């Protein structure tokens, strides 16, 4: 066992402002500022709860108070699930007593030992763990206890060190390369001379109870840059190659446990997460603990235990406040009570001191007098709780993506493993999320498009057709900028971007009839031979110049040089959403080649799915108590009013603020009546369809194009290559309308109409902000969650479009688009079915617009469309 007399190494990462606060001046100012506010608004800093006595009381809460479920829930998750990943550098923000952390460190030590069995001794690399906290003595004590208890298990595998400072100091230390570019002693000495770069309220710099009793709020700015230039957003021009810019330092893994984030307000929590030094697409991760929006009684008991330990902990803060102001007995404990309450509407626990009488306090060494009314409340702590919608909205706003989620057995607490991927689509903006897109919307789309086209298609695939019914891959790289350029030229009355010949090759793709590929709508004539196609480099150069052209248009609008009219806005909406549609089309093509030698590469900048671990969670999702729900009779409004003719109306053409743009088959709004019917809570799954395919459906349905036979085993295709059916058995099955209809018929049902499915989706779909699997939240389907016990059955369908029995055709009031005449009418051929919803690769602007109607041929097996069964009553 390691000697407990070996003093742990502590790195001093405090910065100038923190040194001032540590001497008490800053805290005194915060106390007086909070108490000078009017009745009903007074507060004192939460960090006052965590003096030496407060720390002991806090440990007693986590150890002895069964009501405080957060600690036990998190420890249960860590015991059951630690050891999933090997982390070279681990930094815990607000480490506290390290009892929970020990589970992670022991698991890491086992991984280090396991990996060392196949590694030469000289190449062995230890995992380094850093505990960040405010109190140096507490760091020394807890790290010493950790090594005393677990030293033999950790020795030679995990090296534990301390960081003394606030979140600000620790994160700034990391951002400036302190973990890799300098020795700890050099970094620590140099660091004290650096000033804080702060944009947050200093009062927010306080420790937070629900994880680390002695850490402070960070105001470090996000380390990832946000480029504004079009060409700077592009990955290497050679697909599948490395430009040498990858980060060479080891991945950084942050731990922020105990629902400490809940002590921030709803906006500051986003700012804090955005400030974390997680490099986009680097493999850096954050393990974050969040408390659920549990019942009022449970939450209030958690913060007011029967033993009174929490009460003593909170009341100790008054003594510390008085001591900081100059008189430890300034606040007479006999005149104050502890009051706590759970604000259900805001999902926030609040802790207060309540004045039991009118009283005045003379501030020591000051002429200031502070008055309190009888019954007046002084806030000392808040703890936000998180619904699924809160959590997913938080992560999206902070540009984070969940890799994994673990939940304790009662379902009251979650640990989330998060990363900052190469790109994320933001939440849609109110009040009109489907209005004029911004240049930033295009830039996000370009990041996604470039990730797909330049990161997933190796050169060997550029001239291949993963699907015979579509063009070669290279065509789509030229089609997107050519389409944008053509419509900009028509709109602005300007020449096309050179080379002008690109418009002849790349204007329009193909969608031939499945039964007769020689029959197809009008389209561009493309070269027959490889050497007649433009080079990849010339296409990328063209793309960049077209993007720059669009950026100039936005600049002209901003400067007033050009007016933003409805027609301009419509071109912007159409070209953005067109690119979104084609990103998905290209991906379902590419999936046919994923996992094959020389085939599609996995999406770069996103952590590959840990399939077995994910499957464990998916297997734990309970099915609905009842498999179906009864809806109707009801009137359903389909579509919206977006008359394109108003684009040329002299009185209306400048009115763009409240216009919800859509494609021609979305206009006008119309009422459709549906009778009462039953519908399945969830789409048909791979597992269910596999049983049908092998049994009653044998010889009746084809092998779905989303499946593949590998050495006699049926597997499910993904963009990462095929995976065993057992891992994807609960995903919605992706197959043709014809085959899913046959399944429905055998089961005694049918596919719903578009109005019926719209009625179901309006009532039960959680959407992107509620955790829906769209917008590249994952690069694969997941099991559907609708029909669960919470949120009245709201959930998501797993990340798929859904077939309807409605034939795609004209209807009363339909008017073809003048801007894009053939968008719908070319496919009014009685061969296409309406599909609604959106897949995991559908951009939120499309998936979230309830009026959107997509369409595919009934026997086309490749798109990411599933189906659920409806039953007549």
């Amino acid at each position: 066992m390691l000697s407990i007399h070996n003093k742990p190494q502590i790195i001093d990462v405090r910065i100038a402002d923190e040194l001032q606060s540590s001497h008490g001046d800053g805290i005194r100012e915060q106390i007086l500022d909070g108490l000078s506010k009017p009745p009903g608004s007074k507060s004192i800093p939460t960090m006052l709860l965590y003096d030496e006595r407060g720390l002991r009381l806090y440990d007693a809460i986590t150890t002895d108070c069964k009501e405080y479920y957060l600690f036990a829930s998190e420890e249960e998750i860590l015991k059951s699930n630690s050891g999933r990943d090997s982390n070279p550098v681990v930094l815990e923000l607000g480490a506290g007593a390290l009892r929970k952390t020990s589970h992670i460190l022991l698991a890491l030590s086992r991984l280090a030992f396991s990996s060392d069995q196949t590694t030469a001794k000289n190449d062995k690399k230890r995992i380094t763990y850093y505990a960040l906290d405010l109190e140096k003595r507490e760091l020394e004590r807890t790290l010493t206890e950790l090594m005393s208890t677990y030293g033999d298990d950790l020795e030679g595998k995990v090296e534990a060190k301390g960081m003394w400072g606030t979140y600000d100091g620790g994160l700034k230390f990391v951002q400036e390369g302190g973990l890799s570019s300098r020795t700890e002693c050099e970094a620590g000495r140099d660091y004290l001379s650096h000033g804080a770069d702060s944009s947050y309220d200093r009062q927010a710099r306080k420790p937070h109870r629900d994880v680390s009793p002695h850490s402070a709020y960070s105001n470090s700015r996000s380390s990832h840059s946000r480029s504004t230039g079009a060409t700077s957003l592009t990955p290497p021009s050679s697909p599948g190659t490395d430009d040498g810019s990858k980060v060479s330092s080891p991945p950084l893994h942050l731990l922020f446990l105990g629902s400490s984030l809940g002590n921030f307000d709803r906006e500051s929590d986003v700012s804090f997460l955005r400030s974390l030094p997680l490099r986009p697409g680097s493999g850096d991760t954050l393990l974050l603990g969040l408390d659920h929006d549990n019942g009022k009684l449970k939450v209030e008991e958690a913060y007011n235990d029967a033993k009174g330990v929490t009460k003593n902990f909170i009341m100790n803060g008054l003594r510390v406040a008085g001591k900081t102001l100059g008189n430890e007995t300034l606040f007479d404990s006999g005149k104050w009570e502890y009051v706590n309450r759970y604000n259900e509407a805001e999902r926030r626990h609040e802790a207060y001191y309540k004045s039991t009488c009118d009283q005045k306090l003379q501030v020591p060494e000051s002429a200031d007098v502070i008055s309190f009314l009888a019954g007046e409340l002084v806030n000392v702590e808040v703890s936000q709780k998180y619904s699924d919608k809160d959590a997913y909205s938080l992560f999206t706003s902070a540009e984070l993506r969940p890799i994994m989620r673990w939940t304790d057995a009662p379902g009251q607490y979650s640990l989330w493993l998060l990363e900052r991927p190469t790109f994320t689509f933001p939440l849609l903006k109110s009040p009109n999320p489907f209005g004029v897109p911004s240049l930033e919307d295009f830039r996000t789309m370009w990041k996604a498009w470039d990730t797909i086209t330049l990161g997933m298609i190796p050169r060997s695939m550029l001239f291949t057709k993963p699907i015979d019914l579509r063009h070669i891959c290279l065509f789509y790289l030229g089609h997107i900028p050519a389409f944008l350029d053509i419509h900009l030229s028509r709109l602005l009355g300007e020449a096309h971007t050179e080379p002008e010949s690109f418009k002849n090759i790349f204007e329009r793709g193909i969608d031939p009839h499945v039964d007769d590929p020689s029959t197809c709508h009008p389209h561009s004539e493309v070269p027959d031979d490889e050497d007649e196609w433009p080079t990849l480099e010339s296409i990328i150069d063209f793309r960049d110049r077209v993007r720059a052209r669009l950026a100039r248009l936005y600049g002209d609008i901003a400067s007033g040089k050009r007016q933003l009219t409805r027609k301009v806005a419509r071109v912007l909406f159409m070209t953005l959403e067109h690119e979104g549609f084609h990103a998905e089309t290209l991906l379902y093509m590419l999936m046919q080649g994923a996992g094959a030698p020389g085939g599609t590469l996995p999406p770069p900048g996103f952590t590959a799915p840990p399939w077995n671990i994910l499957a464990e969670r998916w297997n734990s999702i309970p099915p609905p108590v009842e498999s179906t729900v009864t809806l109707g009779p009801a009137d359903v409004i389909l579509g919206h009013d977006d008359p394109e003719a108003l684009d040329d109306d002299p009185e209306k053409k400048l009115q763009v603020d409240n216009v919800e743009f859509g494609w021609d088959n979305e206009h006008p709004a119309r009422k459709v009546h549906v009778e009462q019917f039953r519908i399945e809570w969830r789409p048909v799954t791979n597992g269910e369809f596999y049983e049908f395919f092998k049994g009653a459906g044998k010889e009746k349905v084809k092998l779905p194009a989303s499946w593949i036979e590998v050495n006699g085993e049926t597997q499910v295709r993904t963009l990462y290559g095929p995976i065993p059916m057992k891992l994807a058995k609960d995903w919605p099955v992706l197959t043709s309308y014809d085959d899913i209809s046959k399944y429905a018929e055998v089961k005694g049902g049918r596919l719903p109409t578009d109005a019926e499915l719209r009625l179901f989706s309006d009532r039960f779909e959680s959407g992107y902000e509620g955790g829906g699997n769209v917008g590249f939240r994952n690069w694969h389907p997941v099991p559907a969650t609708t029909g669960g016990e919470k949120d009245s059955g709201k959930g998501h369908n797993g990340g798929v479009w859904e077939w309807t029995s409605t034939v795609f055709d004209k209807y009363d009031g339909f008017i073809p688009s003048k801007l894009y005449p053939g968008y719908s009418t070319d496919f009014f051929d009685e061969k296409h079915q309406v599909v609604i919803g959106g897949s995991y690769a559908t951009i939120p602007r499309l998936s979230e617009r309830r009026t959107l109607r997509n369409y595919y041929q009934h026997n086309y097996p490749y798109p990411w469309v599933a189906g659920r069964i409806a039953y007549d009553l």
Side-chain angles (χ1 to χ4, degrees):
M1 180 176 293
L2 295 181
S3 170
I4 61 173
H5 301 295
N6 291 341
K7 205 169 185 179
Q9 183 177 7
I10 308 294
I11 306 167
D12 189 345
V13 297
R14 294 175 298 163
I15 50 184
D17 285 357
E18 296 168 7
L19 290 173
Q20 179 185 359
S21 294
S22 68
H23 292 129
D25 295 339
I27 303 302
R28 178 185 174 90
E29 292 172 3
Q30 291 179 41
I31 296 172
L32 294 176
D33 181 61
L35 295 180
S36 66
K37 291 180 170 57
S41 302
K42 289 186 173 72
S43 65
I44 67 171
T46 305
M47 69 183 305
L48 295 175
L49 300 175
Y50 299 103
D51 71 332
E52 191 169 345
R53 181 169 182 267
L55 291 174
R56 292 197 300 270
L57 288 168
Y58 177 78
D59 282 345
I61 292 171
T62 61
T63 305
D64 303 328
C65 300
K66 63 181 181 180
E67 295 92 342
Y68 192 67
Y69 62 88
L70 286 75
F71 188 93
S73 295
E74 195 165 67
E75 188 169 36
E76 174 202 324
I77 297 170
L78 289 170
K79 280 182 178 179
S80 302
N81 298 286
S82 58
R84 304 295 194 183
D85 186 27
S86 180
N87 303 317
V89 179
V90 180
L91 170 60
E92 183 169 7
L93 307 177
L98 299 182
R99 293 215 320 272
K100 291 176 293 185
T101 309
S102 65
H103 299 298
I104 295 176
L105 297 184
L106 288 172
L108 293 177
S109 71
R110 291 191 292 270
L111 286 169
F113 177 78
S114 174
S115 63
D116 192 48
Q117 305 308 300
T118 57
T119 305
K121 261 189 175 181
N122 293 337
D123 293 334
K124 184 175 180 180
K125 294 182 179 179
R126 289 189 297 183
I127 296 162
T128 304
Y129 165 79
Y130 294 90
L132 171 66
D133 247 314
L134 269 178
E135 296 288 337
K136 183 179 181 182
R137 284 193 303 177
E138 278 300 303
L139 276 172
E140 292 173 342
R141 181 183 68 81
T142 54
L143 286 170
T144 299
E145 288 182 0
L146 177 76
M147 299 310 296
S148 176
T149 306
Y150 302 107
D152 287 347
D153 295 313
L154 303 180
E155 186 175 12
K157 304 163 190 172
V158 177
E159 184 178 13
K161 302 179 182 181
M163 280 191 190
W164 175 25
T166 63
Y167 298 156
D168 279 344
L171 296 178
K172 197 171 194 301
F173 177 79
V174 173
Q175 288 170 343
E176 296 189 351
L179 295 180
S180 56
S181 64
R182 293 177 288 179
T183 65
E184 285 84 353
C185 59
E186 290 171 338
R189 283 198 302 269
D190 294 345
Y191 213 57
L192 296 179
S193 63
H194 289 212
D197 183 12
S198 173
S199 59
Y200 299 143
D201 189 332
R202 278 182 53 81
Q203 185 174 348
R205 293 183 175 200
K206 55 189 180 184
H208 305 304
R209 169 195 178 178
D210 284 342
V211 61
S212 166
H214 34 314
S215 285
Y217 181 100
S218 168
N219 56 29
S220 305
R221 293 182 178 174
S222 177
S223 63
H224 60 288
S225 63
R226 291 173 175 77
S227 174
T228 56
T231 57
S232 63
L233 297 174
T234 60
S237 60
S238 299
T241 64
D242 184 5
D243 66 350
S245 64
K246 288 187 178 179
V247 178
S248 60
S249 56
L252 172 67
H253 300 272
L254 301 177
L255 309 181
F256 198 31
L257 306 178
S259 203
S260 178
L261 192 71
N263 295 116
F264 296 86
D265 62 46
R266 295 288 183 190
E267 294 182 359
S268 296
D269 56 4
V270 173
S271 298
F272 177 75
L273 292 182
R274 286 177 71 97
S275 78
L276 296 178
L278 301 172
R279 298 160 296 181
S282 66
D284 293 350
T285 63
L286 168 67
L287 185 64
L288 178 69
L290 290 182
D291 193 18
H292 294 183
D293 56 333
N294 298 302
K296 178 180 176 65
L297 179 62
K298 185 171 194 64
V299 174
E300 289 183 345
E301 286 182 345
Y303 293 87
N304 200 357
D305 60 276
K307 295 180 181 179
V309 181
T310 303
K311 174 185 174 182
N312 293 337
F313 168 73
I314 296 292
M315 297 304 291
N316 180 64
L318 281 180
R319 180 188 62 81
V320 179
K323 182 178 180 181
T324 304
L325 293 176
N327 179 1
E328 189 168 328
T329 62
L330 179 64
F331 295 88
D332 185 346
S333 61
K335 297 180 180 179
W336 295 92
E337 293 179 350
Y338 168 49
V339 174
N340 77 307
R341 67 189 183 197
Y342 182 51
N343 185 329
E344 289 186 283
E346 298 295 331
R347 299 172 304 288
R348 180 179 65 232
H349 179 265
E350 301 162 353
Y352 297 94
Y353 301 110
K354 178 182 176 181
S355 176
T356 60
C357 61
D358 292 341
Q359 54 181 311
K360 295 178 185 264
L361 301 182
Q362 175 70 52
V363 179
E365 302 178 10
S366 169
D368 294 339
V369 175
I370 305 173
S371 299
F372 301 94
L373 301 175
E376 184 175 350
L377 299 179
V378 178
N379 179 256
V380 64
E381 186 184 53
V382 297
S383 180
Q384 312 285 352
K385 307 303 175 184
Y386 291 86
S387 66
D388 277 6
K389 181 177 178 179
D390 292 331
Y392 282 106
S393 296
L394 168 71
F395 302 152
T396 303
S397 298
E399 299 180 346
L400 296 174
R401 183 187 81 91
I403 301 171
M404 270 297 305
R405 179 185 186 179
W406 296 273
T407 303
D408 65 333
Q412 57 197 10
Y413 192 92
S414 287
L415 280 177
W416 299 82
L417 184 63
L418 305 159
E419 69 173 343
R420 180 160 287 135
T422 305
F423 66 87
T424 54
F425 281 89
L427 298 175
L428 298 178
K429 298 175 183 177
S430 296
N432 184 11
F434 310 112
V436 186
S438 67
L439 180 57
E440 195 59 36
D441 291 332
F442 273 94
R443 286 178 170 146
T444 302
M445 186 69 249
W446 294 341
K447 287 182 183 180
W449 180 256
D450 294 346
T451 296
I452 297 165
T453 55
L454 300 181
M456 298 178 66
I457 308 175
R459 284 188 178 272
S460 58
M461 281 190 73
L462 287 174
F463 293 96
T464 64
K465 291 184 177 181
I467 295 174
D468 287 337
L469 298 172
R470 292 293 182 265
H471 280 311
I472 63 172
C473 293
L474 184 67
F475 170 84
Y476 298 95
L477 276 71
H479 172 57
I480 292 302
F483 184 89
L484 173 58
D485 191 63
I486 288 168
H487 283 279
L488 287 178
S489 293
R490 290 175 182 170
L491 173 70
L492 304 176
E494 298 174 350
H496 294 283
T497 302
E498 292 293 338
E500 188 172 351
S501 59
F502 276 19
K503 69 181 176 61
N504 300 321
I505 301 174
F506 295 118
E507 180 175 8
R508 199 173 186 198
I510 56 173
D511 182 15
H513 290 179
V514 174
D515 295 326
D516 180 13
S518 65
T519 303
C520 188
H521 60 81
H523 56 86
S524 303
E525 293 299 324
V526 299
D528 293 324
D529 299 325
E530 282 189 23
D531 56 6
E532 295 177 350
W533 282 89
T535 65
L536 173 64
E537 287 71 24
S538 68
I539 293 173
I540 298 303
D541 178 65
F542 173 73
R543 177 208 68 182
D544 288 346
R545 286 183 285 113
V546 173
R547 289 178 178 178
R549 183 183 186 187
L550 180 69
R552 288 194 298 273
L553 172 59
Y554 274 98
D556 288 346
I557 293 171
S559 68
K561 184 177 178 180
R562 183 175 293 275
Q563 285 186 311
L564 176 62
T565 65
R566 288 176 65 118
K567 181 171 287 188
V568 171
R570 190 172 301 281
V571 169
L572 295 174
F573 126 78
M574 183 183 70
T575 52
L576 175 68
E577 293 194 2
H578 171 262
E579 187 163 351
F581 275 130
H582 271 285
E584 183 171 348
T585 299
L586 185 54
L587 281 170
Y588 74 65
M589 291 169 53
L590 292 175
M591 194 166 76
Q592 297 298 309
T600 306
L601 301 170
F606 289 73
T607 295
W611 294 118
N612 290 321
I613 304 172
L614 287 168
E616 287 180 18
R617 171 163 175 78
W618 295 334
N619 291 337
S620 70
I621 298 174
V625 176
E626 299 289 339
S627 65
T628 63
V629 61
T630 299
L631 298 175
D635 289 329
V636 182
I637 302 298
L638 298 179
H640 62 182
D641 292 322
D642 174 30
E644 191 175 328
L646 294 183
D647 294 359
D648 297 317
D649 186 319
E651 296 182 0
K652 303 285 188 180
K653 67 180 183 179
L654 296 179
Q655 298 176 8
V656 298
D657 289 344
N658 298 317
V659 179
E660 180 178 291
F661 292 98
W663 300 88
D664 58 6
N665 65 66
E666 298 177 56
H667 169 78
R670 54 206 183 278
K671 183 187 296 184
V672 178
H673 182 77
V674 297
E675 298 295 343
Q676 191 175 57
F677 65 102
R678 283 191 305 120
I679 189 168
E680 294 285 342
W681 276 112
R682 297 174 183 177
V684 180
T685 66
N686 280 317
E688 291 167 339
F689 197 79
Y690 181 75
E691 289 184 9
F692 177 73
F693 177 75
K694 290 293 188 179
K698 198 170 186 178
E699 309 299 332
K700 296 180 181 178
V701 296
K702 299 175 182 178
L703 183 81
S706 61
W707 296 358
I708 185 174
E709 295 290 340
V710 180
N711 297 325
E713 176 190 356
T714 302
Q715 297 196 345
V716 177
R717 294 182 188 269
T718 78
L719 291 166
Y720 301 88
I723 62 172
M725 176 66 72
K726 66 179 181 180
L727 300 179
K729 63 182 176 62
D730 294 323
W731 295 0
V733 63
L734 307 175
T735 191
S736 70
Y737 172 85
D738 287 352
D739 285 348
I740 200 70
S741 293
K742 291 174 184 175
Y743 177 92
E745 290 171 8
V746 170
K747 296 297 182 180
R750 56 177 175 79
L751 293 184
T753 66
D754 59 348
E756 289 172 333
L757 187 56
R758 175 47 57 202
L759 178 63
F760 175 88
S761 298
D762 284 349
R763 188 170 299 183
F764 298 115
E765 273 293 327
S766 60
Y768 184 50
E769 68 175 3
N773 187 28
V774 296
F776 299 91
R777 188 160 270 150
N778 296 289
W779 291 74
H780 55 82
V782 297
T785 61
T786 42
E789 294 183 359
K790 295 190 70 175
D791 299 326
S792 302
K794 272 194 171 185
H796 60 76
N797 72 356
V800 292
W801 296 90
E802 292 193 45
W803 291 109
T804 77
S805 60
T806 302
V807 176
F808 185 63
D809 205 346
K810 64 176 61 177
Y811 48 81
D812 289 343
F814 171 79
I815 301 173
S817 170
K818 291 171 61 178
L819 199 60
Y820 192 168
Y823 176 77
S824 296
T825 55
D826 282 352
F827 305 99
F828 288 163
D829 54 11
E830 299 186 348
K831 294 181 179 293
H832 288 74
Q833 301 294 131
V834 172
V835 304
I836 65 175
S839 83
Y840 56 88
T842 305
I843 64 174
R845 186 182 172 102
L846 291 169
S847 67
E848 301 304 283
R849 191 166 70 245
R850 65 175 300 281
T851 60
L852 183 74
R853 302 166 82 235
N854 200 0
Y855 47 90
Y856 290 108
Q857 290 184 61
H858 63 90
N859 52 354
Y860 186 52
Y862 301 106
W864 294 335
V865 191
R868 71 179 75 224
I869 306 176
Y871 305 89
D872 293 317
L873 293 178

